[in-house]
Amino acid sequence: GRPRSSRHRLLMSLLLLTGGARSGKSRLAAEIAGEWSGPVAVIATGEARDDEMAERIRMHRVRRPQSWATIEEPVDLEAALRAVPDDALAVVDCLTLWVSNLVEKGLRDDEIEARARDAASLAARRGGDTVVVTNEVGSGIVPANALARRFRDLLGNVNSIWVEHSDRCALVVAGQLLPLSGLSEIWGKE
């Protein structure tokens, strides 16, 4: 699968989109997928545990073209990535819920970070492109309780792990994509 036009050509095999809640990350990931001429597989990590989340999931499903495959996998991200054919664009939506699910399962931070490294490495080695959505939760005030602080720090570490494996990453603000640079791009060095 190749993109339909050079204007929308992905210049990477792994793109990470991060930003605040309701910033347009999932919508941009869907736009990228909509420009892909081959098959698309969405790996959804959310679970409908209450009415509000069930409605969010329903709306995501309604917006997706019926031709896109959906893999609902809240915990085993590696298995879900392996299930996506190499000619398909994989969209992982999202790491935030995935980390939350692993915390809820009782995994230690080091176990979650190891899973993140393995999944990110697998995504980077795929034959097809991958777009990953995650939240940026470290820009606000320091949370008042220990679990919220743990989650903020852990998700920040997981996001950094994924960025290390990504070809490109971008911050999404108000539906606009802001490319992020690493030091090598700033200094012009490898």
Side-chain angles (χ1 to χ4, degrees):
R2 285 284 166 239
R4 291 188 184 130
S5 71
S6 61
R7 187 175 133 243
H8 294 95
R9 195 170 145 255
L10 287 178
L11 301 173
M12 72 293 301
S13 61
L14 179 55
L15 167 66
L16 182 126
L17 300 176
T18 188
R22 317 273 23 108
S23 62
K25 302 175 302 292
S26 294
R27 183 185 56 76
L28 283 171
E31 279 184 33
I32 291 166
E35 291 295 326
W36 191 254
S37 64
V40 174
V42 176
I43 300 171
T45 62
E47 293 182 288
R49 296 181 184 177
D50 57 37
D51 292 342
E52 185 268 339
M53 191 62 177
E55 179 60 16
R56 282 182 187 238
I57 290 170
R58 187 188 74 73
M59 290 305 296
H60 275 274
R61 286 179 184 149
V62 166
R63 286 186 215 129
R64 277 186 221 129
Q66 289 184 342
S67 62
W68 293 5
T70 300
I71 302 168
E72 295 186 356
E73 180 47 64
V75 175
D76 196 348
L77 188 49
E78 281 185 88
L81 284 164
R82 280 192 205 96
V84 178
D86 276 347
D87 66 337
L89 174 73
V91 177
V92 177
D93 196 1
C94 73
L95 294 181
T96 311
L97 292 172
W98 177 66
V99 169
S100 179
N101 295 337
L102 294 176
V103 166
E104 187 176 77
K105 296 273 184 207
L107 275 74
R108 296 184 323 266
D109 292 7
D110 63 324
E111 293 172 317
I112 294 170
E113 290 171 7
R115 285 188 182 204
R117 266 191 280 306
D118 292 345
S121 176
L122 179 62
R125 292 189 324 266
R126 286 188 66 246
D129 289 350
T130 304
V131 177
V132 180
V133 174
T134 189
N135 284 53
E136 172 51 54
V137 297
S139 297
I141 62 171
V142 176
N145 70 68
L147 179 59
R149 286 190 301 274
R150 175 189 174 207
F151 180 77
R152 178 208 53 192
D153 294 348
L154 178 58
L155 183 60
N157 291 342
V158 167
N159 288 348
S160 293
I161 289 166
W162 276 82
V163 167
E164 288 172 18
H165 289 84
S166 297
D167 298 292
R168 295 276 185 262
C169 62
L171 178 66
V172 180
V173 179
Q176 299 300 303
L177 196 99
L178 303 167
L180 301 176
S181 299
L183 282 178
S184 64
E185 291 168 297
I186 292 170
W187 294 110
K189 299 177 182 177
E190 290 291 316

